[in-house]
Every structure is written in C-alpha cells, then in structure tokens.
Amino acid sequence: MKATIEYNSRKITVNISDPLDISIPIDVSKKNVNAWYVDDPKIFPEEIDGEIVKVSEGSVVNFNNIHFNPHSHITHTECVGHITEKVHSVNKNLKYFIFLAEVVTVAPESKGKDLVISARQLKTALGNKKRDAIVIRTIPNLTDKKSMSYSNTNPPYLLEEAAIYLREKGIKHLLIDLPSVDKEKDDGELLAHNAFWNTSGKIRMNATITEFIYVPNSVEDGEYLLNLMIAPFENDATPSKPVLYKIIK
C-alpha cells in the first residue's frame, strides 16, 4: 500500500505497508531497558474483592495495571516541560506527527572519561540537508540497547554545541538511542536539553526530544518519513512509537 504526501513543493511516496518501528516496548517477560535508578516496570492484574481479574484465574477478562516511568522504561517523547518549573504537556504541544527525517549513524568520540557526540559530527552527517527531524543511531549498535540497565554507566551524550547546531539548523524533533541527550551526572546543568529547547531565549514549545529508540542495523542512513506517534498523557513526557517509512525514489 503506497501513499503520496505533498511536502512543500515536493511529492514524497512511501510504502505504508512496510513500517520500520524504532521503538523499544515495555516487556516484563524479559529484561527491560532501564535508567535513572528506579525499579523495573511492572504489569500485574487488578484484584477486586479478593479476586484476581485475569482469565487464567477464572475472570472473563484480563485487567492489568501498568507501573512504569516513561523516562526510565520505554521509548518516550518529551517536551520542554521536562525541565521547566511549569510542567508543560507534550500531548498539548506536539500537534503534528508526520515529519521528514534523516537517519544518521555516529560513533561517539572520547572526551576525557566520557563519550560524546559533537557538532562537527552532526554537521558532517547532515550537510546542507533540510530536515524536520534527526534520528541518531550510535555505534556500536548492539541489540542489548533494548535491555540495557543504564544507571551509573555514564552513557554517551550530546555536547551543548551539538544541540545548539541542531536548533540553529531548524531540527524540531531529535530522536536518539540513548537514555538522555545529556550526561548522566552533570550537576543538573542539562546543557543539551536547555540548548535544544532554547530555554534562555524564545522557548521552542513545539520541539521534542525522543530517547530510548533502537534503529536496527538493517535500516540504512538517509532520508525517511517519520510518524512520531505518542500516547495521550498530559505530562512532560509520554511513551511513543516512532515509525520510519523509506522514501520511494
């Protein structure tokens, strides 16, 4: 099934029967991705009047509770409300969901004891391309990214200069396969978050950051149509399901 979308003066054709899902789900049947020093997510049946509401326990339905933190346990999309005193809702500020995106693969560079993504690397990857969104895949790109416990591991992160470059480049939606665009322990500076959302100037309310994606190695670098689907939570962040569609040349 093909669809053609008019984007500015260009017509873009994709095969919507061939989605490339780059989200990481919550799956309590196995080791789940985790960060930020919290317990694992839980999915468990409700108990009403001493009865477990589960078909295998004699109920007519399954009726599960889900306990999780979007920042810790699942692919999630956040808005500037993540770092502002007033908790702005990503559900209210993300009003469009289809974007032109560029998938780039970056090998984080050493900086002291850290691994970082620099502006130079992103400039090389993007060149003069005009995109709404960037999807950053870091290497090595092992499948253990989908079950990694990141707490106290000092994962790679974006330098402030890289976030400034993306903002000035006009990138509104930043997707990355790490638990955060910032250093795990940075004394609360959150330099990349602040720079990308421009909190010291005119705040970019409609810009988003999506963390904990996983881009399979079979997905080539290049231009894609991105469908950034989110769950309708009135919160600074919400679980999301970003899906890429390869553009038919």
Side-chain angles (χ1 to χ4, degrees):
M1 186 185 300
K2 293 181 181 179
T4 299
I5 296 171
E6 291 188 7
Y7 178 86
N8 295 331
S9 59
R10 177 183 172 194
K11 288 188 176 181
I12 295 174
T13 301
V14 296
N15 182 357
I16 59 175
S17 300
D18 188 23
L20 302 168
D21 185 351
I22 57 171
S23 67
I24 299 175
I26 288 176
D27 186 350
V28 297
S29 69
K30 58 187 179 182
K31 192 172 184 294
N32 206 86
V33 72
N34 199 337
W36 311 116
Y37 329 110
V38 298
D39 292 337
D40 289 331
K42 298 177 179 65
I43 300 177
F44 55 96
E46 182 61 77
E47 185 174 330
I48 301 176
D49 296 330
E51 300 292 331
I52 297 174
V53 188
K54 187 175 182 181
V55 173
S56 63
E57 298 290 331
S59 179
V60 296
V61 294
N62 294 306
F63 194 59
N64 286 335
N65 297 305
I66 303 176
H67 183 272
F68 72 102
N69 187 302
H71 295 287
S72 297
H73 298 135
I74 193 170
T75 302
H76 61 276
T77 298
E78 57 196 35
C79 71
V80 70
H82 181 42
I83 60 170
T84 54
E85 184 175 353
K86 180 179 178 180
V87 182
H88 299 283
S89 166
V90 65
N91 190 51
K92 283 192 170 79
N93 284 287
L94 180 59
K95 299 178 181 178
Y96 304 98
F97 309 96
I98 304 294
F99 308 104
L100 192 62
E102 187 77 12
V103 173
V104 302
T105 301
V106 177
E109 303 173 326
S110 294
K111 182 181 181 182
K113 296 181 179 180
D114 298 341
L115 291 172
V116 301
I117 298 170
S118 67
R120 178 190 60 79
Q121 289 178 294
L122 297 181
K123 287 177 183 178
T124 300
L126 283 174
N128 60 0
K129 297 171 183 173
K130 301 291 185 182
R131 300 290 184 262
D132 306 310
I134 185 171
V135 178
I136 301 175
R137 168 175 49 198
T138 59
I139 52 177
N141 190 47
L142 305 176
T143 57
D144 63 2
K145 285 179 181 176
K146 296 188 285 186
S147 60
M148 179 78 174
S149 294
Y150 282 95
S151 297
N152 296 307
T153 64
N154 191 31
Y157 59 92
L158 262 65
L159 292 177
E160 181 182 24
E161 64 176 37
I164 292 172
Y165 165 71
L166 293 178
R167 184 189 77 213
E168 294 179 346
K169 180 77 172 170
I171 297 290
K172 290 183 178 179
H173 305 286
L174 165 57
L175 295 84
I176 196 164
D177 61 3
L178 297 169
S180 178
V181 295
D182 272 305
K183 184 173 179 174
E184 181 180 14
K185 297 178 180 179
D186 68 350
D187 298 320
E189 292 186 315
L190 298 174
L191 297 176
H193 280 91
N194 279 288
F196 185 73
W197 282 316
N198 199 34
T199 54
S200 62
K202 184 177 180 181
I203 294 177
R204 302 205 302 160
M205 299 297 296
N206 61 347
T208 68
I209 295 174
T210 300
E211 295 157 338
F212 271 153
I213 65 169
Y214 178 73
V215 185
N217 291 318
S218 58
V219 176
E220 298 178 352
D221 283 9
E223 182 184 40
Y224 292 82
L225 203 65
L226 167 68
N227 184 2
L228 184 54
M229 296 180 281
I230 63 171
F233 285 83
E234 301 295 355
N235 189 46
D236 68 284
T238 183
S240 58
K241 188 180 180 73
V243 174
L244 300 172
Y245 293 94
K246 191 171 184 178
I247 294 173
I248 300 171
K249 304 298 184 181

